[in-house]
Amino acid sequence: MSITENQLHADPSIEAHELHPQRSAVIETEQQRDHAKTIYEKSKPGRRAFVAPELDVPKHELPAKFRRAEAPKLPEIAEPEIVRHYNRLSKRNFDLDSGFYPLGSCTMKHNPKLHERVAALPGHARLHPLTNPKRAQGALELMHSLQVALGEIAGLPHVSLQPSAGSHGELAGVLVTRAYHEDRGDFRTKILTPDTAHGTNPATVTMGGYEVVKVGTNADGGVDIEDLRAKADDQVACLMLTNPNTLGVFDANIEEIAKIVHGVGATLYYDGANLNAVMGKTRPGDMGFDIVHYNLHKTFTQPHGGGGPGAGPIAVSDRIEPYITKPQVVKLEDGTFDLDFDRPKSIGRLRGFQGNFGVFVRSYAYILSLGGDGLQEASELAVLNANYLLAKLRELGVTDLLPPAYDRLCMHEFVLSGAPMKRELGLKTLDLAKRLLDHNFHPPTVYFPLLVEEALLIEPTETETKETLDAFAEAMAEILREGAEDPEIARNAPYGTPVRRLDEAGAAKRPVIRQPL
Amino acid sequence: MSRYTSATETDRQEMLAAIGVESIDDLFADVPEGVRLGRPLDIAPGKPEQEVFARLRDLAAKNVSAEDEISFLGAGMYDHYVPALIDSILSRSEFLTPYTPYQPEISQGGLQVMFEYQTAISELTGLPVSNASVYEGPSAVAAAGWLAHTHTKKTKFLVSESLHPHSLETLATTSAGWGTTIEMLPVVNGLTQLDEVVGDDVAAIFVGQPNFHGAIEDIAALSQFKGSALLVVQADPLTLGVLRSPGEDGVDICVGEGQTLGNRLDFGGPSFGFFAASQALLRRMPGRIAGETTDVDGRRGFVLTLQTREQHIRREKATSNICTAQALNALAGVIYLSWLGREGLVELGELLVSRTHYARETLAAIDGVELWHDQPVVREFALKLSKNAHEVVEFCSARGVNPGFAFDDNGLLVAITEQRSKADIDRLAEVLKEALA
Ligand SMILES: Cc1ncc(COP(=O)(O)O)c(C=O)c1O
């Protein structure tokens, strides 16, 4: 490296991305970068895209006291400029269709293009949710078929499709647990979550009206059985667990864990964010779980949309079945389908209508395409890819500075610790992540799980090629080599992206969360 | 059937060799014998793409959608026209396939969209603070309940009998463990009744605008009696070009279903929920919020902000458990609002008011039809029929006109969109007349 950051700042004619020319994830020219105008700033009174249909009835006005005096200041802009605005914005995003996205715990697998086509069929897209079930048989059959398939995958027969995302499924799980216990006159106050749990688990517990009790992790990355035994008492309503957990470790003591939890009358909840590791290999129901949620936007290919939509159906065992949400899609004896509202012990509904049906269409298409054998193979290849990537990182010496948190085979993802890198090179996990952006890779999940210092959680998924995994490993190695020579480069990365490191502290201190108009 | 994967037999052998194991099964060694499935999943083998397409096309064809009949169904979701530019923009991989923007340097598109969306929601509702979306309408109402309960530390919810029933049910389900109670506010001739200041044990008052029966509530009047409780209004955002903004009438939290803004019906979802509030509640908000900032070179940029509210940082002390929300649907919402534009939103609202009024007058003139209430309406109204409403819906539907939602044995809720012309309304009147004859 011949030019330093200081020189860069001293000489404004040098452009950052020319200094450290990399295959940057999202490249913009200097001129484009200076045009982060919002659509409101492109607005001009009198411009428009919308042409209202003709007023074919007598004009009627609302009483003055309800009428709005001043119209909301929405943009005034014609169609060509709306399209350009959002197309240009889209180019400031990195996306899964453009490159590797090993974001641990998020299962960024390919989103098949067929799914968008079938979800958009007018019979799906323009079907009103309050259509009489007799005239929505196709939709109900689809939902029922999806319920059956998801139930088989989880080994739990009763599926409620209603929850809208993983954390909503968690809430459903906590609420059915409460209903199950209270129906027995059994009132409990606590829910156990491991210290490796995703943040949504403890947050959900609080929203469900329980106290969170943390359970420790043992030396192998599994639940600390002694700690669990000590904390499991008759005030515990549930243990929320993911298996494999967020360390990518399959907890081999799962049968023992289930026994302890059931022994005190609690339910065992499976956070299905990591289901992509085990389809066709083992099933939460067979492991002893009572309730599981699926993230259809992870395992079952619903595109993430930059932060949703998703869907978080739950599946439950027989004893929990009376309590799941209503309405429930059922198949009647004559082979037709219906919505069952007559569920006296149900917790009720957790949202409007029947759930994120458009997501169900995509996930059902995926299950049809892969079949039982294909789903199993997807999990096998997800695990193969993760282990191969870990082996490759070892081979390239990356794990010398970024050792695996648990040095063993992993499932579909694994955790590295950046602690030695920080010590030896003075580079934080964050710096490494930012430098990866200059290599056209989305970084792994960083600083999660909390248990591991300077954590990087890496999940390649089954839809990536060996060549991509090799290239990613090489990039990691190159960043470490470069860091050993001049850590400043990574510390100031990224360079070629539409913006560089942003002042997040300033944003939180003086929040500007809307355009002043 | 292997699909969407690339590992050849040679790849697999090389990868296993690099790992140092013999077979893929060796990688699953940690799974105890006792919990292995040990048989293939009982799910039919995979199918080629054209067969999957055919199966889904056949299923879709079994549904009677708004494509196939003249539909006046509403009650929370409405058959508005979704302009083509929304399909075009939403199908871009750069919007469709990224995760939540955890790396702002390569997510400026999505983050700026959130910022623009928050601005639009803030403008519509007249409230200064909006998040970047929640799941959908009724769960947004429940989220407002949680905010109100944790903010005020009070335990009573007052819910209008004219709040959407799904919202009431969702609030009841979600609040099962909060130690809160729900009391109903009566409705007389379409309007929520409240004539004295509520007790100081009340966390929040919930009202719909327009309410479930289509009536425009006098929010300013209700807000005089809110006392120390938070006033939560569930609004239809598409009506807010013609209706007074909740913010100017003293509403603390305005939430609602965003489907009417550029989202398809999709048999109920995905759409998005919006969540707007007063400045005092900023740090209590659920979900993601995008904020403006600058990068190290002084360039304008956007980030997820106020994250110390959120589950990934605050865990059990978070303001909400929401993680994945409805970003793509919110994008559809902001594109739609830009497409309508400032004048278009008002024009569309005025068109709905006129057509809805025409429809109400036309239908009310039929023998056997009475108004459920005679309050002003914007886009939907409730009728009392002399015959069973479910049977009337069946009768009309068989004739190609879906007259609306039978919300009661004699109650019919009729919704109007810009896709229902005068001719459609006249056709509805004909069929309804026959049904009630
Ligand atoms: C382990 C785990 N649990 C739960 C969730 C929450 O899922 P969602 O974002 O769908 O609410 C996630 C998603 O990030 C996760 O990774």
Side-chain angles (χ1 to χ4, degrees):
Chain A
M1 264 329 300
S2 47
I3 305 173
T4 67
E5 265 305 299
N6 288 343
Q7 283 170 284
L8 173 72
H9 285 292
D11 181 356
S13 71
I14 305 174
E15 284 194 17
H17 66 280
E18 287 171 11
L19 282 184
H20 310 295
Q22 295 293 349
R23 302 162 299 278
S24 183
V26 184
I27 299 176
E28 266 190 355
T29 65
E30 196 63 10
Q31 192 197 3
Q32 285 171 322
R33 286 187 196 186
D34 284 340
H35 287 262
K37 279 194 184 160
T38 67
I39 195 150
Y40 303 94
E41 291 159 338
K42 296 176 178 173
S43 165
K44 215 177 214 183
R47 288 183 180 159
R48 59 188 301 147
F50 174 70
V51 179
E54 186 200 348
L55 183 63
D56 49 3
V57 297
K59 182 149 179 71
H60 180 80
E61 291 222 337
L62 289 177
K65 82 165 180 172
F66 296 127
R67 236 181 298 143
R68 187 161 186 146
E70 203 202 353
K73 295 193 193 73
L74 296 178
E76 296 184 78
I77 185 163
E79 169 160 332
E81 292 305 310
I82 301 175
V83 170
R84 280 197 183 147
H85 177 75
Y86 288 107
N87 273 8
R88 197 188 60 77
L89 279 189
S90 78
K91 291 175 184 165
R92 311 189 98 203
N93 273 354
F94 182 81
D95 68 286
L96 178 59
D97 285 351
S98 305
F100 187 44
Y101 217 126
L103 194 62
S105 207
C106 300
T107 314
M108 295 297 279
K109 61 165 76 171
H110 175 64
N111 306 137
K113 297 301 158 188
L114 167 68
H115 300 180
E116 299 313 306
R117 178 180 289 178
V118 292
L121 291 167
H124 294 143
R126 290 194 68 197
L127 183 60
H128 193 284
L130 294 172
T131 303
N132 186 323
K134 287 190 209 126
R135 287 191 296 280
Q137 284 294 300
L140 296 178
E141 181 177 346
L142 188 154
M143 290 170 72
H144 191 265
S145 305
L146 179 61
Q147 286 175 189
V148 170
L150 290 176
E152 165 67 4
I153 292 165
L156 290 166
H158 313 286
V159 175
S160 154
L161 294 175
Q162 212 181 85
S164 313
S167 74
H168 209 210
E170 293 169 25
L171 185 61
V174 167
L175 291 168
V176 294
T177 289
R178 177 181 288 283
Y180 164 77
H181 282 131
E182 294 189 352
D183 196 28
R184 283 159 180 68
D186 185 358
F187 298 86
R188 297 176 176 234
T189 55
K190 299 184 285 196
I191 287 184
L192 306 177
T193 64
D195 49 11
T196 52
H198 192 258
T200 52
N201 294 182
T204 299
V205 171
T206 304
M207 285 184 77
Y210 290 96
E211 183 195 336
V212 176
V213 178
K214 254 197 263 178
V215 181
T217 296
N218 67 22
D220 297 329
V223 170
D224 179 338
I225 296 282
E226 287 324 305
D227 196 35
L228 173 63
R229 231 188 280 280
K231 288 170 179 163
D233 59 32
D234 64 3
Q235 282 306 298
V236 170
C238 176
L239 167 66
M240 299 179 88
L241 210 60
T242 131
N243 198 22
N245 64 17
T246 60
L247 298 163
V249 170
F250 191 92
D251 201 319
N253 296 324
I254 187 62
E255 290 159 296
E256 178 69 12
I257 293 168
K259 213 152 112 200
I260 297 170
V261 170
H262 291 150
V264 296
T267 64
L268 188 57
Y269 181 89
Y270 186 89
D271 175 339
N274 295 337
L275 193 64
N276 208 45
V278 296
M279 289 185 291
K281 308 300 282 185
T282 175
R283 308 188 301 173
D286 300 339
M287 296 180 219
F289 286 90
D290 301 280
I291 309 161
V292 42
H293 87 246
Y294 313 78
N295 297 68
L296 297 188
H297 44 300
K298 297 183 179 184
T299 322
F300 298 95
T301 71
Q302 162 67 29
H304 286 70
I314 62 167
V316 303
S317 57
D318 290 339
R319 65 179 174 139
I320 306 292
E321 189 277 336
Y323 310 100
I324 60 177
T325 55
K326 66 180 181 186
Q328 184 64 6
V329 178
V330 290
K331 188 173 185 176
L332 305 178
E333 272 175 16
D334 65 0
T336 63
F337 300 88
D338 201 3
L339 290 173
D340 182 10
F341 288 86
D342 185 17
R343 299 181 51 79
K345 291 193 171 182
S346 164
I347 56 170
R349 50 166 77 246
L350 271 172
R351 53 160 292 156
F353 310 110
Q354 289 82 237
N356 281 342
F357 177 78
V359 177
F360 308 153
V361 176
R362 293 173 176 88
S363 293
Y364 183 56
Y366 179 67
I367 290 171
L368 285 179
S369 292
L370 267 72
D373 51 339
L375 292 169
Q376 178 176 333
E377 187 171 31
S379 284
E380 291 174 347
L381 294 182
V383 173
L384 178 67
N385 271 356
N387 278 288
Y388 173 71
L389 179 55
L390 179 54
K392 188 76 190 175
L393 291 167
R394 275 206 186 94
E395 181 193 315
L396 296 177
V398 170
T399 50
D400 297 345
L401 289 172
L402 293 164
Y406 295 86
D407 203 2
R408 49 187 288 178
L409 290 174
C410 64
M411 295 300 281
H412 66 308
E413 63 187 357
F414 57 92
V415 186
L416 304 181
S417 168
M421 172 180 73
K422 187 172 171 188
R423 223 169 30 239
E424 307 284 321
L425 306 184
L427 285 185
K428 292 185 274 187
T429 285
L430 184 73
D431 302 322
L432 174 75
K434 296 303 180 195
R435 191 57 175 146
L436 273 170
L437 301 178
D438 288 326
H439 287 260
N440 198 21
F441 291 116
H442 195 287
T445 294
V446 293
Y447 300 101
F448 177 79
L450 307 179
L451 194 62
V452 176
E453 204 185 334
E454 294 288 318
L456 279 126
L457 176 56
I458 304 177
E459 180 183 11
T461 84
E462 72 278 12
T463 61
E464 297 297 336
T465 63
K466 177 169 172 294
E467 292 85 335
T468 298
L469 305 180
D470 288 340
F472 177 75
E474 291 289 352
M476 293 278 281
E478 194 184 323
I479 293 170
L480 292 180
R481 266 196 305 277
E482 177 190 76
E485 266 176 46
D486 181 0
E488 283 302 304
I489 298 175
R491 271 186 213 139
N492 293 295
Y495 299 93
T497 47
V499 292
R500 298 182 57 218
R501 286 196 203 188
L502 291 144
D503 180 8
E504 301 196 25
K509 208 180 278 171
R510 296 170 298 277
V512 179
I513 62 167
R514 57 154 293 175
Q515 173 93 47
L517 294 172
Chain B
M1 182 180 291
S2 182
R3 190 70 65 83
Y4 314 122
T5 55
S6 303
T8 63
E9 201 40 51
T10 321
D11 286 339
R12 292 176 200 215
Q13 291 314 321
E14 285 175 15
M15 291 162 84
L16 289 169
I19 298 164
V21 295
E22 300 273 301
S23 70
I24 287 180
D25 268 345
D26 291 347
L27 301 174
F28 289 86
D30 279 344
V31 179
E33 206 58 54
V35 305
R36 293 195 188 181
L37 180 56
R39 63 161 174 85
L41 284 171
D42 184 15
I43 292 175
K47 294 182 177 59
E49 176 165 331
Q50 63 273 19
E51 289 179 26
V52 176
F53 175 77
R55 163 84 173 136
L56 284 147
R57 182 200 52 206
D58 293 349
L59 282 174
K62 293 189 193 175
N63 301 323
V64 182
S65 77
E67 194 84 352
D68 310 307
E69 60 183 6
I70 303 173
S71 175
F72 293 87
L73 269 177
M77 287 209 171
Y78 302 86
D79 180 39
H80 287 286
Y81 180 72
V82 176
L85 87 171
I86 292 185
D87 294 353
S88 163
I89 296 169
L90 262 62
S91 67
R92 291 186 70 87
S93 297
E94 299 91 335
F95 283 132
L96 185 66
T97 68
Y99 205 75
T100 303
Y102 292 143
Q103 297 290 338
E105 297 86 349
I106 52 164
S107 311
Q108 284 301 298
L111 286 160
Q112 185 172 327
V113 165
M114 289 179 181
F115 183 80
E116 294 181 357
Y117 162 87
Q118 289 163 195
T119 306
I121 295 300
S122 175
E123 278 296 316
L124 286 181
T125 58
L127 287 162
V129 173
S130 165
N131 74 7
S133 74
V134 290
Y135 303 132
E136 47 82 65
S139 57
V141 170
W146 177 244
L147 188 160
H149 168 59
T150 52
H151 180 68
T152 63
K153 313 261 186 302
K154 294 174 182 174
T155 54
K156 191 186 281 183
F157 295 134
L158 296 180
V159 177
S160 160
E161 275 176 355
S162 258
L163 187 73
H164 196 295
H166 289 182
S167 300
L168 168 64
E169 286 175 44
T170 302
L171 177 66
T173 303
T174 309
S175 64
W178 304 349
T180 48
T181 55
I182 294 176
E183 241 173 62
M184 302 307 293
L185 290 174
V187 168
V188 176
N189 187 22
L191 292 188
T192 304
Q193 303 298 301
L194 189 62
D195 43 24
E196 58 185 41
V197 174
V198 303
D200 59 11
D201 55 343
V202 177
I205 306 162
F206 297 86
V207 186
Q209 179 71 327
N211 67 27
F212 180 67
H213 301 107
I216 302 174
E217 296 272 8
D218 190 343
I219 301 293
L222 291 170
S223 110
Q224 287 172 10
F225 300 115
K226 72 175 181 177
S228 59
L230 299 184
L231 179 56
V232 180
V233 163
Q234 176 176 17
D236 176 351
L238 201 56
T239 65
L240 292 176
V242 291
L243 287 181
R244 284 173 65 79
S245 78
E248 65 192 307
D249 284 339
V251 169
D252 300 283
I253 301 176
C254 181
V255 294
E257 172 56 59
Q259 183 270 334
T260 49
L261 305 180
N263 279 266
R264 316 193 292 219
L265 288 167
D266 278 339
F267 200 47
S271 57
F272 68 93
F274 66 91
F275 196 115
S278 63
Q279 193 68 36
L281 302 176
L282 173 65
R283 284 167 205 277
R284 291 260 175 206
M285 294 285 284
R288 316 286 184 188
I289 297 178
E292 185 177 334
T293 187
T294 50
D295 78 353
V296 289
D297 296 331
R299 285 191 196 92
R300 181 187 205 180
F302 301 90
V303 291
L304 293 178
T305 195
L306 301 167
Q307 294 190 67
T308 50
R309 298 167 297 114
E310 290 192 62
Q311 44 77 26
H312 60 287
I313 311 266
R314 283 294 279 286
R315 301 178 71 84
E316 64 268 25
K317 296 205 169 63
T319 57
S320 148
N321 68 343
I322 195 166
C323 179
T324 296
Q326 306 285 136
L328 193 71
N329 307 93
L331 168 61
V334 72
I335 299 169
Y336 185 73
L337 289 169
S338 303
W339 178 78
L340 275 184
R342 191 175 189 197
E343 291 176 4
L345 179 75
V346 179
E347 289 169 16
L348 180 56
E350 286 174 347
L351 179 77
L352 294 180
V353 168
S354 296
R355 282 209 187 141
T356 303
H357 188 78
Y358 171 77
R360 184 154 80 157
E361 287 206 324
T362 307
L363 300 185
I366 297 171
D367 271 349
V369 177
E370 272 175 55
L371 295 186
W372 192 269
H373 61 77
D374 62 7
Q375 304 301 331
V377 295
V378 183
R379 58 122 80 252
E380 192 161 32
F381 53 92
L383 299 176
K384 195 175 288 176
L385 306 182
S386 59
K387 286 192 179 168
N388 181 289
H390 301 277
E391 284 164 20
V392 169
V393 169
E394 284 312 287
F395 180 93
C396 298
S397 294
R399 284 151 186 80
V401 181
N402 194 327
F405 178 58
F407 65 93
D408 185 276
D409 281 349
N410 293 96
L412 183 72
L413 202 52
V414 182
I416 303 294
T417 72
E418 76 289 353
Q419 307 217 76
R420 300 296 91 87
S421 65
K422 174 174 182 294
D424 293 334
I425 295 167
D426 292 343
R427 173 75 190 133
L428 168 63
E430 255 174 53
V431 179
L432 191 60
K433 201 173 192 170
E434 243 185 277
L436 295 171

